[in-house]
Amino acid sequence: YIFRGVSQNAGNATASGEVHAVHNGFFAQVWASQVDYGTDVEMEYDLMVAKNFKFGDVTVGAAYIDYNYTSLDAFTDFEESALDVEEVGFLIGYKAFTGKYYMGLDDAPDYMELGVDLGVADLTVGDYDTVGRHVMVSKTIDVEGVDVTFGYRQFYAEDDVSDEKSAVLTVTKNF
């Protein structure tokens, strides 16, 4: 999977799953995926709580996200994650435009993203503090109740992370 423009699986396909609940603008989510960093870390699981507010065409939101990274053995043995990253996120949207800002906690880097739905495609640009910048152009279509997203993304690295570019294909089924 791709996180903020960077492949989390050495460019390989992955399986991910999510369970979420929504009530009165509140949102709670547990999400998990395979990862491949070339280390013993094999999975990521994230916990998130959020609240969105609508004012006509304007949406404003705030979220707390806890990212956890571990091996499959440690996870099934109920051990604490090897790495835990936390952040607070803020969202503002107006019609086809969105802006997101994620403030990293405990020295985690901040991230800012701007997006626009152009009708024929979505354009997203992001800046991951001290890590790099990215751009992605994509389109999601519904195929018999399955969301298929295809696009192209490019990541421009800072420091010791490599630049990346690739085509993107995501298949999502909601139940």
PDB file of all heavy atoms in Angstrom, residues 67-99:
ATOM      1  N   TYR A  67      -0.751   4.881  14.918  1.00  0.00           N
ATOM      2  CA  TYR A  67      -0.199   3.908  13.978  1.00  0.00           C
ATOM      3  C   TYR A  67       0.694   2.937  14.748  1.00  0.00           C
ATOM      4  O   TYR A  67       1.552   3.364  15.518  1.00  0.00           O
ATOM      5  CB  TYR A  67       0.661   4.602  12.919  1.00  0.00           C
ATOM      6  CG  TYR A  67      -0.057   5.660  12.126  1.00  0.00           C
ATOM      7  CD1 TYR A  67      -0.022   6.999  12.521  1.00  0.00           C
ATOM      8  CD2 TYR A  67      -0.747   5.333  10.970  1.00  0.00           C
ATOM      9  CE1 TYR A  67      -0.659   7.978  11.792  1.00  0.00           C
ATOM     10  CE2 TYR A  67      -1.395   6.312  10.230  1.00  0.00           C
ATOM     11  CZ  TYR A  67      -1.339   7.630  10.640  1.00  0.00           C
ATOM     12  OH  TYR A  67      -1.981   8.599   9.916  1.00  0.00           O
ATOM     13  N   ASN A  68       0.518   1.634  14.535  1.00  0.00           N
ATOM     14  CA  ASN A  68       1.284   0.616  15.241  1.00  0.00           C
ATOM     15  C   ASN A  68       1.908  -0.347  14.235  1.00  0.00           C
ATOM     16  O   ASN A  68       1.246  -0.772  13.287  1.00  0.00           O
ATOM     17  CB  ASN A  68       0.376  -0.169  16.184  1.00  0.00           C
ATOM     18  CG  ASN A  68      -0.219   0.729  17.243  1.00  0.00           C
ATOM     19  OD1 ASN A  68       0.379   0.949  18.272  1.00  0.00           O
ATOM     20  ND2 ASN A  68      -1.400   1.277  16.977  1.00  0.00           N
ATOM     21  N   TYR A  69       3.159  -0.709  14.463  1.00  0.00           N
ATOM     22  CA  TYR A  69       3.905  -1.587  13.563  1.00  0.00           C
ATOM     23  C   TYR A  69       4.474  -2.747  14.365  1.00  0.00           C
ATOM     24  O   TYR A  69       5.086  -2.531  15.412  1.00  0.00           O
ATOM     25  CB  TYR A  69       5.040  -0.808  12.893  1.00  0.00           C
ATOM     26  CG  TYR A  69       4.548   0.420  12.176  1.00  0.00           C
ATOM     27  CD1 TYR A  69       4.394   1.632  12.847  1.00  0.00           C
ATOM     28  CD2 TYR A  69       4.203   0.365  10.835  1.00  0.00           C
ATOM     29  CE1 TYR A  69       3.925   2.762  12.195  1.00  0.00           C
ATOM     30  CE2 TYR A  69       3.733   1.486  10.169  1.00  0.00           C
ATOM     31  CZ  TYR A  69       3.601   2.677  10.855  1.00  0.00           C
ATOM     32  OH  TYR A  69       3.131   3.790  10.208  1.00  0.00           O
ATOM     33  N   THR A  70       4.303  -3.978  13.863  1.00  0.00           N
ATOM     34  CA  THR A  70       4.730  -5.141  14.626  1.00  0.00           C
ATOM     35  C   THR A  70       4.940  -6.333  13.706  1.00  0.00           C
ATOM     36  O   THR A  70       4.615  -6.294  12.525  1.00  0.00           O
ATOM     37  CB  THR A  70       3.703  -5.470  15.738  1.00  0.00           C
ATOM     38  OG1 THR A  70       4.230  -6.457  16.595  1.00  0.00           O
ATOM     39  CG2 THR A  70       2.381  -5.942  15.154  1.00  0.00           C
ATOM     40  N   SER A  71       5.457  -7.412  14.280  1.00  0.00           N
ATOM     41  CA  SER A  71       5.528  -8.681  13.552  1.00  0.00           C
ATOM     42  C   SER A  71       4.241  -9.444  13.802  1.00  0.00           C
ATOM     43  O   SER A  71       3.530  -9.193  14.773  1.00  0.00           O
ATOM     44  CB  SER A  71       6.730  -9.507  14.028  1.00  0.00           C
ATOM     45  OG  SER A  71       6.503  -9.974  15.342  1.00  0.00           O
ATOM     46  N   LEU A  72       3.936 -10.383  12.947  1.00  0.00           N
ATOM     47  CA  LEU A  72       2.721 -11.178  13.110  1.00  0.00           C
ATOM     48  C   LEU A  72       2.781 -12.002  14.395  1.00  0.00           C
ATOM     49  O   LEU A  72       1.800 -12.107  15.118  1.00  0.00           O
ATOM     50  CB  LEU A  72       2.514 -12.089  11.896  1.00  0.00           C
ATOM     51  CG  LEU A  72       1.169 -12.785  11.816  1.00  0.00           C
ATOM     52  CD1 LEU A  72       0.013 -11.797  11.873  1.00  0.00           C
ATOM     53  CD2 LEU A  72       1.076 -13.614  10.554  1.00  0.00           C
ATOM     54  N   ASP A  73       3.958 -12.564  14.716  1.00  0.00           N
ATOM     55  CA  ASP A  73       4.094 -13.351  15.949  1.00  0.00           C
ATOM     56  C   ASP A  73       3.836 -12.501  17.188  1.00  0.00           C
ATOM     57  O   ASP A  73       3.139 -12.911  18.107  1.00  0.00           O
ATOM     58  CB  ASP A  73       5.483 -13.975  16.041  1.00  0.00           C
ATOM     59  CG  ASP A  73       5.685 -15.114  15.058  1.00  0.00           C
ATOM     60  OD1 ASP A  73       4.668 -15.699  14.608  1.00  0.00           O
ATOM     61  OD2 ASP A  73       6.845 -15.413  14.731  1.00  0.00           O
ATOM     62  N   ALA A  74       4.427 -11.289  17.229  1.00  0.00           N
ATOM     63  CA  ALA A  74       4.224 -10.422  18.392  1.00  0.00           C
ATOM     64  C   ALA A  74       2.757 -10.010  18.512  1.00  0.00           C
ATOM     65  O   ALA A  74       2.218  -9.940  19.612  1.00  0.00           O
ATOM     66  CB  ALA A  74       5.115  -9.190  18.284  1.00  0.00           C
ATOM     67  N   PHE A  75       2.096  -9.762  17.377  1.00  0.00           N
ATOM     68  CA  PHE A  75       0.683  -9.371  17.398  1.00  0.00           C
ATOM     69  C   PHE A  75      -0.187 -10.495  17.948  1.00  0.00           C
ATOM     70  O   PHE A  75      -1.036 -10.266  18.795  1.00  0.00           O
ATOM     71  CB  PHE A  75       0.230  -8.969  15.994  1.00  0.00           C
ATOM     72  CG  PHE A  75      -1.199  -8.513  15.933  1.00  0.00           C
ATOM     73  CD1 PHE A  75      -1.552  -7.262  16.408  1.00  0.00           C
ATOM     74  CD2 PHE A  75      -2.187  -9.333  15.411  1.00  0.00           C
ATOM     75  CE1 PHE A  75      -2.868  -6.829  16.358  1.00  0.00           C
ATOM     76  CE2 PHE A  75      -3.502  -8.910  15.359  1.00  0.00           C
ATOM     77  CZ  PHE A  75      -3.840  -7.652  15.831  1.00  0.00           C
ATOM     78  N   THR A  76       0.021 -11.718  17.473  1.00  0.00           N
ATOM     79  CA  THR A  76      -0.801 -12.841  17.929  1.00  0.00           C
ATOM     80  C   THR A  76      -0.471 -13.250  19.359  1.00  0.00           C
ATOM     81  O   THR A  76      -1.277 -13.907  20.011  1.00  0.00           O
ATOM     82  CB  THR A  76      -0.666 -14.059  16.989  1.00  0.00           C
ATOM     83  OG1 THR A  76       0.710 -14.427  16.897  1.00  0.00           O
ATOM     84  CG2 THR A  76      -1.234 -13.737  15.612  1.00  0.00           C
ATOM     85  N   ASP A  77       0.710 -12.840  19.871  1.00  0.00           N
ATOM     86  CA  ASP A  77       1.064 -13.092  21.268  1.00  0.00           C
ATOM     87  C   ASP A  77       0.659 -11.920  22.164  1.00  0.00           C
ATOM     88  O   ASP A  77       1.029 -11.878  23.339  1.00  0.00           O
ATOM     89  CB  ASP A  77       2.574 -13.336  21.406  1.00  0.00           C
ATOM     90  CG  ASP A  77       3.003 -14.666  20.814  1.00  0.00           C
ATOM     91  OD1 ASP A  77       2.128 -15.546  20.644  1.00  0.00           O
ATOM     92  OD2 ASP A  77       4.192 -14.812  20.511  1.00  0.00           O
ATOM     93  N   PHE A  78      -0.063 -10.937  21.599  1.00  0.00           N
ATOM     94  CA  PHE A  78      -0.559  -9.760  22.309  1.00  0.00           C
ATOM     95  C   PHE A  78       0.565  -8.930  22.932  1.00  0.00           C
ATOM     96  O   PHE A  78       0.409  -8.332  23.987  1.00  0.00           O
ATOM     97  CB  PHE A  78      -1.598 -10.147  23.375  1.00  0.00           C
ATOM     98  CG  PHE A  78      -2.794 -10.829  22.798  1.00  0.00           C
ATOM     99  CD1 PHE A  78      -2.910 -12.215  22.858  1.00  0.00           C
ATOM    100  CD2 PHE A  78      -3.784 -10.110  22.157  1.00  0.00           C
ATOM    101  CE1 PHE A  78      -3.995 -12.857  22.303  1.00  0.00           C
ATOM    102  CE2 PHE A  78      -4.876 -10.741  21.604  1.00  0.00           C
ATOM    103  CZ  PHE A  78      -4.993 -12.121  21.672  1.00  0.00           C
ATOM    104  N   GLU A  79       1.706  -8.867  22.252  1.00  0.00           N
ATOM    105  CA  GLU A  79       2.805  -8.016  22.698  1.00  0.00           C
ATOM    106  C   GLU A  79       2.584  -6.604  22.166  1.00  0.00           C
ATOM    107  O   GLU A  79       1.903  -6.404  21.166  1.00  0.00           O
ATOM    108  CB  GLU A  79       4.135  -8.557  22.175  1.00  0.00           C
ATOM    109  CG  GLU A  79       4.500  -9.915  22.743  1.00  0.00           C
ATOM    110  CD  GLU A  79       5.788 -10.451  22.147  1.00  0.00           C
ATOM    111  OE1 GLU A  79       6.590  -9.668  21.605  1.00  0.00           O
ATOM    112  OE2 GLU A  79       5.990 -11.674  22.223  1.00  0.00           O
ATOM    113  N   GLU A  80       3.189  -5.607  22.832  1.00  0.00           N
ATOM    114  CA  GLU A  80       3.084  -4.236  22.351  1.00  0.00           C
ATOM    115  C   GLU A  80       3.770  -4.115  21.006  1.00  0.00           C
ATOM    116  O   GLU A  80       4.680  -4.861  20.684  1.00  0.00           O
ATOM    117  CB  GLU A  80       3.730  -3.274  23.348  1.00  0.00           C
ATOM    118  CG  GLU A  80       2.884  -3.050  24.575  1.00  0.00           C
ATOM    119  CD  GLU A  80       3.405  -1.894  25.398  1.00  0.00           C
ATOM    120  OE1 GLU A  80       3.910  -0.917  24.820  1.00  0.00           O
ATOM    121  OE2 GLU A  80       3.307  -1.982  26.622  1.00  0.00           O
ATOM    122  N   SER A  81       3.340  -3.136  20.219  1.00  0.00           N
ATOM    123  CA  SER A  81       3.916  -2.947  18.894  1.00  0.00           C
ATOM    124  C   SER A  81       5.369  -2.487  19.005  1.00  0.00           C
ATOM    125  O   SER A  81       5.772  -1.851  19.972  1.00  0.00           O
ATOM    126  CB  SER A  81       3.099  -1.940  18.088  1.00  0.00           C
ATOM    127  OG  SER A  81       3.112  -0.680  18.718  1.00  0.00           O
ATOM    128  N   ALA A  82       6.146  -2.817  17.969  1.00  0.00           N
ATOM    129  CA  ALA A  82       7.557  -2.450  17.939  1.00  0.00           C
ATOM    130  C   ALA A  82       7.734  -0.944  17.779  1.00  0.00           C
ATOM    131  O   ALA A  82       8.688  -0.365  18.273  1.00  0.00           O
ATOM    132  CB  ALA A  82       8.255  -3.188  16.796  1.00  0.00           C
ATOM    133  N   LEU A  83       6.815  -0.321  17.075  1.00  0.00           N
ATOM    134  CA  LEU A  83       6.892   1.110  16.830  1.00  0.00           C
ATOM    135  C   LEU A  83       5.483   1.677  16.903  1.00  0.00           C
ATOM    136  O   LEU A  83       4.545   1.101  16.364  1.00  0.00           O
ATOM    137  CB  LEU A  83       7.481   1.370  15.432  1.00  0.00           C
ATOM    138  CG  LEU A  83       7.546   2.809  14.952  1.00  0.00           C
ATOM    139  CD1 LEU A  83       8.467   3.620  15.855  1.00  0.00           C
ATOM    140  CD2 LEU A  83       8.036   2.858  13.525  1.00  0.00           C
ATOM    141  N   ASP A  84       5.347   2.785  17.580  1.00  0.00           N
ATOM    142  CA  ASP A  84       4.043   3.414  17.766  1.00  0.00           C
ATOM    143  C   ASP A  84       4.190   4.886  17.398  1.00  0.00           C
ATOM    144  O   ASP A  84       5.026   5.581  17.966  1.00  0.00           O
ATOM    145  CB  ASP A  84       3.620   3.247  19.227  1.00  0.00           C
ATOM    146  CG  ASP A  84       2.279   3.861  19.544  1.00  0.00           C
ATOM    147  OD1 ASP A  84       1.478   4.044  18.621  1.00  0.00           O
ATOM    148  OD2 ASP A  84       2.044   4.161  20.721  1.00  0.00           O
ATOM    149  N   VAL A  85       3.417   5.347  16.421  1.00  0.00           N
ATOM    150  CA  VAL A  85       3.455   6.740  15.988  1.00  0.00           C
ATOM    151  C   VAL A  85       2.053   7.313  16.136  1.00  0.00           C
ATOM    152  O   VAL A  85       1.078   6.691  15.726  1.00  0.00           O
ATOM    153  CB  VAL A  85       3.917   6.852  14.513  1.00  0.00           C
ATOM    154  CG1 VAL A  85       3.900   8.302  14.059  1.00  0.00           C
ATOM    155  CG2 VAL A  85       5.291   6.234  14.327  1.00  0.00           C
ATOM    156  N   GLU A  86       1.974   8.505  16.722  1.00  0.00           N
ATOM    157  CA  GLU A  86       0.676   9.129  16.946  1.00  0.00           C
ATOM    158  C   GLU A  86       0.650  10.506  16.296  1.00  0.00           C
ATOM    159  O   GLU A  86       1.684  11.175  16.198  1.00  0.00           O
ATOM    160  CB  GLU A  86       0.410   9.278  18.437  1.00  0.00           C
ATOM    161  CG  GLU A  86       0.356   7.956  19.175  1.00  0.00           C
ATOM    162  CD  GLU A  86       0.344   8.160  20.665  1.00  0.00           C
ATOM    163  OE1 GLU A  86       1.409   8.497  21.214  1.00  0.00           O
ATOM    164  OE2 GLU A  86      -0.727   7.982  21.262  1.00  0.00           O
ATOM    165  N   GLU A  87      -0.554  10.904  15.859  1.00  0.00           N
ATOM    166  CA  GLU A  87      -0.703  12.237  15.298  1.00  0.00           C
ATOM    167  C   GLU A  87      -2.135  12.718  15.468  1.00  0.00           C
ATOM    168  O   GLU A  87      -3.048  11.926  15.702  1.00  0.00           O
ATOM    169  CB  GLU A  87      -0.289  12.279  13.822  1.00  0.00           C
ATOM    170  CG  GLU A  87      -1.117  11.450  12.912  1.00  0.00           C
ATOM    171  CD  GLU A  87      -0.570  11.389  11.497  1.00  0.00           C
ATOM    172  OE1 GLU A  87       0.595  11.742  11.257  1.00  0.00           O
ATOM    173  OE2 GLU A  87      -1.328  10.973  10.615  1.00  0.00           O
ATOM    174  N   VAL A  88      -2.290  14.029  15.349  1.00  0.00           N
ATOM    175  CA  VAL A  88      -3.595  14.664  15.363  1.00  0.00           C
ATOM    176  C   VAL A  88      -3.792  15.267  13.983  1.00  0.00           C
ATOM    177  O   VAL A  88      -2.896  15.925  13.452  1.00  0.00           O
ATOM    178  CB  VAL A  88      -3.664  15.755  16.451  1.00  0.00           C
ATOM    179  CG1 VAL A  88      -4.995  16.480  16.402  1.00  0.00           C
ATOM    180  CG2 VAL A  88      -3.429  15.153  17.826  1.00  0.00           C
ATOM    181  N   GLY A  89      -4.960  14.994  13.382  1.00  0.00           N
ATOM    182  CA  GLY A  89      -5.220  15.470  12.033  1.00  0.00           C
ATOM    183  C   GLY A  89      -6.362  16.464  11.991  1.00  0.00           C
ATOM    184  O   GLY A  89      -7.292  16.402  12.798  1.00  0.00           O
ATOM    185  N   PHE A  90      -6.278  17.373  11.030  1.00  0.00           N
ATOM    186  CA  PHE A  90      -7.309  18.379  10.821  1.00  0.00           C
ATOM    187  C   PHE A  90      -7.682  18.402   9.346  1.00  0.00           C
ATOM    188  O   PHE A  90      -6.815  18.256   8.482  1.00  0.00           O
ATOM    189  CB  PHE A  90      -6.816  19.761  11.265  1.00  0.00           C
ATOM    190  CG  PHE A  90      -6.368  19.781  12.686  1.00  0.00           C
ATOM    191  CD1 PHE A  90      -5.029  19.621  13.008  1.00  0.00           C
ATOM    192  CD2 PHE A  90      -7.284  19.942  13.715  1.00  0.00           C
ATOM    193  CE1 PHE A  90      -4.608  19.626  14.330  1.00  0.00           C
ATOM    194  CE2 PHE A  90      -6.878  19.938  15.038  1.00  0.00           C
ATOM    195  CZ  PHE A  90      -5.537  19.778  15.345  1.00  0.00           C
ATOM    196  N   LEU A  91      -8.961  18.588   9.055  1.00  0.00           N
ATOM    197  CA  LEU A  91      -9.475  18.569   7.692  1.00  0.00           C
ATOM    198  C   LEU A  91     -10.366  19.769   7.465  1.00  0.00           C
ATOM    199  O   LEU A  91     -11.137  20.156   8.354  1.00  0.00           O
ATOM    200  CB  LEU A  91     -10.294  17.290   7.466  1.00  0.00           C
ATOM    201  CG  LEU A  91     -11.288  17.306   6.314  1.00  0.00           C
ATOM    202  CD1 LEU A  91     -10.592  16.837   5.041  1.00  0.00           C
ATOM    203  CD2 LEU A  91     -12.473  16.418   6.611  1.00  0.00           C
ATOM    204  N   ILE A  92     -10.240  20.348   6.272  1.00  0.00           N
ATOM    205  CA  ILE A  92     -11.213  21.342   5.833  1.00  0.00           C
ATOM    206  C   ILE A  92     -11.512  21.047   4.374  1.00  0.00           C
ATOM    207  O   ILE A  92     -10.601  20.746   3.589  1.00  0.00           O
ATOM    208  CB  ILE A  92     -10.739  22.798   6.040  1.00  0.00           C
ATOM    209  CG1 ILE A  92     -11.877  23.753   5.707  1.00  0.00           C
ATOM    210  CG2 ILE A  92      -9.476  23.089   5.258  1.00  0.00           C
ATOM    211  CD1 ILE A  92     -11.706  25.147   6.267  1.00  0.00           C
ATOM    212  N   GLY A  93     -12.782  21.061   4.040  1.00  0.00           N
ATOM    213  CA  GLY A  93     -13.184  20.806   2.672  1.00  0.00           C
ATOM    214  C   GLY A  93     -14.235  21.792   2.222  1.00  0.00           C
ATOM    215  O   GLY A  93     -15.080  22.237   3.015  1.00  0.00           O
ATOM    216  N   TYR A  94     -14.168  22.145   0.942  1.00  0.00           N
ATOM    217  CA  TYR A  94     -15.176  23.016   0.355  1.00  0.00           C
ATOM    218  C   TYR A  94     -15.454  22.523  -1.058  1.00  0.00           C
ATOM    219  O   TYR A  94     -14.559  22.559  -1.911  1.00  0.00           O
ATOM    220  CB  TYR A  94     -14.713  24.466   0.323  1.00  0.00           C
ATOM    221  CG  TYR A  94     -15.710  25.379  -0.354  1.00  0.00           C
ATOM    222  CD1 TYR A  94     -16.908  25.710   0.275  1.00  0.00           C
ATOM    223  CD2 TYR A  94     -15.457  25.892  -1.618  1.00  0.00           C
ATOM    224  CE1 TYR A  94     -17.833  26.537  -0.337  1.00  0.00           C
ATOM    225  CE2 TYR A  94     -16.377  26.722  -2.241  1.00  0.00           C
ATOM    226  CZ  TYR A  94     -17.572  27.040  -1.599  1.00  0.00           C
ATOM    227  OH  TYR A  94     -18.482  27.847  -2.212  1.00  0.00           O
ATOM    228  N   LYS A  95     -16.656  21.990  -1.254  1.00  0.00           N
ATOM    229  CA  LYS A  95     -17.072  21.422  -2.535  1.00  0.00           C
ATOM    230  C   LYS A  95     -16.037  20.400  -3.001  1.00  0.00           C
ATOM    231  O   LYS A  95     -15.852  19.387  -2.354  1.00  0.00           O
ATOM    232  CB  LYS A  95     -17.350  22.512  -3.555  1.00  0.00           C
ATOM    233  CG  LYS A  95     -18.546  23.372  -3.168  1.00  0.00           C
ATOM    234  CD  LYS A  95     -18.937  24.326  -4.259  1.00  0.00           C
ATOM    235  CE  LYS A  95     -20.154  25.137  -3.781  1.00  0.00           C
ATOM    236  NZ  LYS A  95     -20.655  26.003  -4.821  1.00  0.00           N
ATOM    237  N   ALA A  96     -15.306  20.651  -4.096  1.00  0.00           N
ATOM    238  CA  ALA A  96     -14.369  19.670  -4.657  1.00  0.00           C
ATOM    239  C   ALA A  96     -12.967  19.768  -4.055  1.00  0.00           C
ATOM    240  O   ALA A  96     -12.081  18.998  -4.413  1.00  0.00           O
ATOM    241  CB  ALA A  96     -14.284  19.838  -6.179  1.00  0.00           C
ATOM    242  N   PHE A  97     -12.723  20.698  -3.132  1.00  0.00           N
ATOM    243  CA  PHE A  97     -11.387  20.934  -2.590  1.00  0.00           C
ATOM    244  C   PHE A  97     -11.272  20.413  -1.159  1.00  0.00           C
ATOM    245  O   PHE A  97     -12.194  20.563  -0.363  1.00  0.00           O
ATOM    246  CB  PHE A  97     -11.070  22.440  -2.590  1.00  0.00           C
ATOM    247  CG  PHE A  97     -11.074  23.037  -3.960  1.00  0.00           C
ATOM    248  CD1 PHE A  97     -12.227  23.620  -4.473  1.00  0.00           C
ATOM    249  CD2 PHE A  97      -9.930  23.011  -4.743  1.00  0.00           C
ATOM    250  CE1 PHE A  97     -12.245  24.167  -5.745  1.00  0.00           C
ATOM    251  CE2 PHE A  97      -9.937  23.549  -6.009  1.00  0.00           C
ATOM    252  CZ  PHE A  97     -11.093  24.127  -6.524  1.00  0.00           C
ATOM    253  N   THR A  98     -10.122  19.815  -0.826  1.00  0.00           N
ATOM    254  CA  THR A  98      -9.847  19.395   0.551  1.00  0.00           C
ATOM    255  C   THR A  98      -8.434  19.784   0.948  1.00  0.00           C
ATOM    256  O   THR A  98      -7.519  19.778   0.128  1.00  0.00           O
ATOM    257  CB  THR A  98      -9.993  17.868   0.752  1.00  0.00           C
ATOM    258  OG1 THR A  98      -9.105  17.206  -0.133  1.00  0.00           O
ATOM    259  CG2 THR A  98     -11.410  17.408   0.531  1.00  0.00           C
ATOM    260  N   GLY A  99      -8.288  20.103   2.203  1.00  0.00           N
ATOM    261  CA  GLY A  99      -6.981  20.358   2.782  1.00  0.00           C
ATOM    262  C   GLY A  99      -6.872  19.553   4.067  1.00  0.00           C
ATOM    263  O   GLY A  99      -7.829  19.498   4.849  1.00  0.00           O
TER     264      GLY A  99
END
